Amino acid sequence: MAMGFATLFAMGVALFASGSQAQGTCSSPDAQVLILGAGMSGVSAARKLYDSSVSFIILEARDKVGGRMRAVSFAGATVEVGANWIHGVDTTMNSKYKVNPVWDLRTKAGLQTVKDAESLKVYNASGGSSDISVRTALNSAGWVPQTSPETLFADYFSFDSDAATRPENVSLYGWKSESTFEDFGDSNYLVVDPRGYEYLVQFVGQSFLNTNALHLNTTVTSVTYSDGCVCADVVERGQIKTYCGRQGVWKIDAISKFLLPLYLKVFVAFNETFWSADAGFNFIGRAVNDPDSFAYTLVVPIGQLLPNNPSILLFIVTGNAAYRVASQNVSVTRQELLNALRSVYGNFRATVVDILVPDWASNSLYYGSYSTARVGITADTFTKLASPVQSLYFSGEATSMDYQGSVHGAYLSGMETADSIVNSGYAHGLSFVPAFVMLLAAIVF
């Protein structure tokens, strides 16, 4: 269910940049590696390059690092509008598990987390509580989730709320949700640190993010190829610059086999808490008949897990409903969610103080949340997506067949790709560009 995931793709370009009207060339780079995007994959790659004494420059469109790990201030609290969970953790020192690298970073950085028990209380449309086992429902012979609102919700909770889209849209082969738990442990932890989940990205890059290796507020506007050279035009703090490099080619076929669905987290602050009867439940479900009306069917009373216990509910919305909610007027969203809550709790007196709807759907840097494999994908697809073509490298959570759509998938992918660069023979005149916007352009256009 995490949105940890910084899908970052890499393109090999050498870099030249000097002056306010820099004109890059393929023959005079002043850094061996150009990295587009300061999310977890880009910064973990930079960390590996830094440790290997390979020079690099990071170009980041936003005013801070983190990518889709983004914490914001809301109703007096810090909430995560992007990645929120560390999935796959074992604290028992069981030798059958590996240590999740993101959990290891969390421990070293002192990031505040709380264990997610994944306890669920489900209400049906009439407000009654239903006690069913999600796992038992999914494993039942002849599983047909449409048979009742409760089992339909079980289907949604176990799949849609993780993949951010309906199961019929996703490849069975590519669905590797259990790999994380088989490899690292079966526990999940929610990040509740006031510094934000993105602090781990800062922690990984603490040796170089405060140097001139990082260029913030730098947006790539185009990438072009000709005669074995690739150039990226950017706008950096109002100034036009061109960064150029050597060989590059997009793997359009492999990239097109991935979806970029929307996992929308809608935060709602109230003047008081009225859901105290559900204290101790991490998730509150509302069973309905229509899978396309799943807006506001999964609610997290996240305020009870945050410092000072603010009266905040988190609504997780996916699929078609997510795009509708993301684009509609917030007053419509307010009325819809209040109607949903009243079907469960009756006519409570609490009033809405504020609503936060993140802009993942409309933000041109993202246009979605994290990757999901389309039907028809194979192991060869992942191999082609991750494999370099001369000096052109690809990285990010989407290239991780086992840990796709996760922060640790992004982290490990960045490290592995940087390691490939260091050992590739392209040690000079090579650039690594984890650029989420490149994947987006290939899918959308």
Side-chain angles (χ1 to χ4, degrees):
M1 200 176 294
M3 273 183 49
F5 343 111
T7 309
L8 300 170
F9 283 89
M11 175 175 16
V13 286
L15 174 66
F16 174 83
S18 64
S20 61
Q21 296 289 325
Q23 184 63 44
T25 69
C26 291
S27 59
S28 298
D30 62 3
Q32 294 166 279
V33 179
L34 172 64
I35 301 176
L36 282 185
M40 180 58 90
S41 182
V43 174
S44 70
R47 169 83 258 176
K48 183 70 174 181
L49 297 173
Y50 178 85
D51 291 342
S52 302
S53 300
V54 176
S55 63
F56 58 86
I57 290 179
I58 306 172
L59 305 179
E60 168 57 46
R62 295 173 58 212
D63 60 359
K64 61 179 180 178
V65 303
R68 284 169 291 160
M69 302 166 74
R70 189 200 306 176
V72 302
S73 179
F74 174 71
T78 298
V79 297
E80 302 286 348
V81 297
N84 214 151
W85 283 268
I86 302 177
H87 292 297
V89 176
D90 171 61
T91 58
T92 67
M93 306 300 290
N94 191 322
S95 60
K96 78 173 187 176
Y97 294 123
K98 298 181 290 186
V99 176
N100 186 318
V102 175
W103 181 253
D104 185 48
L105 289 173
R106 167 262 181 201
T107 302
K108 293 175 179 177
L111 198 73
Q112 298 177 37
T113 58
V114 295
K115 188 174 183 179
D116 183 354
E118 290 205 357
S119 54
L120 169 66
K121 187 171 185 178
V122 181
Y123 291 89
N124 57 36
S126 62
S129 180
S130 302
D131 183 17
I132 63 171
S133 167
V134 173
R135 181 60 61 191
T136 299
L138 292 176
N139 291 340
S140 296
W143 167 245
V144 182
Q146 290 79 9
T147 55
S148 72
E150 289 81 6
T151 54
L152 185 60
F153 177 81
D155 187 61
Y156 175 83
F157 180 75
S158 296
F159 192 89
D160 298 50
S161 64
D162 195 355
T165 187
R166 297 295 296 154
E168 54 265 29
N169 297 330
V170 179
S171 163
L172 178 62
Y173 181 87
W175 182 244
K176 302 285 187 178
S177 62
E178 296 302 317
S179 296
T180 286
F181 304 108
E182 292 172 354
D183 291 349
F184 301 123
D186 56 8
S187 295
N188 298 313
Y189 281 76
L190 187 77
V191 175
V192 295
D193 198 294
R195 296 170 295 181
Y197 203 167
E198 63 200 45
Y199 178 71
L200 288 191
V201 180
Q202 300 170 26
F203 183 79
V204 170
Q206 59 185 313
S207 300
F208 52 82
L209 288 178
N210 291 322
T211 70
N212 58 8
L214 174 64
H215 294 234
L216 298 174
N217 300 299
T218 303
T219 303
V220 174
T221 58
S222 67
V223 176
T224 58
Y225 302 86
S226 64
D227 299 325
C229 182
V230 57
C231 294
D233 295 325
V234 309
V235 177
E236 181 176 353
R237 300 183 184 277
Q239 299 175 340
I240 299 174
K241 298 183 179 182
T242 300
Y243 299 99
C244 289
R246 295 179 176 86
Q247 184 92 1
V249 61
W250 285 110
K251 306 169 185 181
I252 299 297
D253 182 62
I255 293 174
S256 68
K257 286 185 169 61
F258 291 85
L259 295 167
L260 194 67
L262 180 61
Y263 181 99
L264 189 65
K265 300 166 70 177
V266 180
F267 295 87
V268 186
F270 291 86
N271 65 335
E272 62 182 17
T273 299
F274 58 88
W275 53 90
S276 57
D278 289 319
F281 287 95
N282 293 96
F283 300 97
I284 302 169
R286 176 173 166 265
V288 297
N289 282 307
D290 183 5
D292 290 328
S293 66
F294 263 359
Y296 324 124
T297 55
L298 186 58
V299 184
V300 181
I302 199 165
Q304 68 190 29
L305 304 174
L306 300 175
N308 302 317
N309 305 120
S311 299
I312 298 176
L313 288 176
L314 164 60
F315 293 80
I316 296 174
V317 192
T318 63
N320 293 334
Y323 291 98
R324 177 177 60 79
V325 171
S327 62
Q328 71 188 14
N329 189 287
V330 71
S331 64
V332 177
T333 300
R334 177 183 181 278
Q335 190 58 53
E336 287 184 350
L337 65 87
L338 284 175
N339 290 340
L341 288 172
R342 284 170 180 147
S343 73
V344 173
Y345 297 108
N347 292 320
F348 51 84
R349 295 188 301 174
T351 58
V352 174
V353 176
D354 200 2
I355 298 177
L356 173 62
V357 182
D359 66 348
W360 299 114
S362 59
N363 191 315
S364 60
L365 297 177
Y366 307 102
Y367 286 141
S369 299
Y370 47 86
S371 65
T372 298
R374 293 177 185 268
V375 176
I377 202 170
T378 65
D380 186 57
T381 308
F382 282 98
T383 299
K384 288 180 178 178
L385 192 63
S387 297
V389 178
Q390 297 187 24
S391 60
L392 173 63
Y393 281 76
F394 294 77
S395 181
E397 52 87 0
T399 67
S400 176
M401 185 167 67
D402 289 332
Y403 309 129
Q404 183 186 11
S406 69
V407 174
H408 53 275
Y411 176 84
L412 290 170
S413 176
M415 296 288 281
E416 291 166 2
T417 304
D419 191 58
S420 296
I421 290 172
V422 172
N423 298 315
S424 67
Y426 288 106
H428 301 284
L430 165 70
S431 291
F432 168 82
V433 185
F436 171 76
V437 69
M438 299 305 172
L439 167 63
L440 177 64
I443 288 178
V444 175
F445 302 106

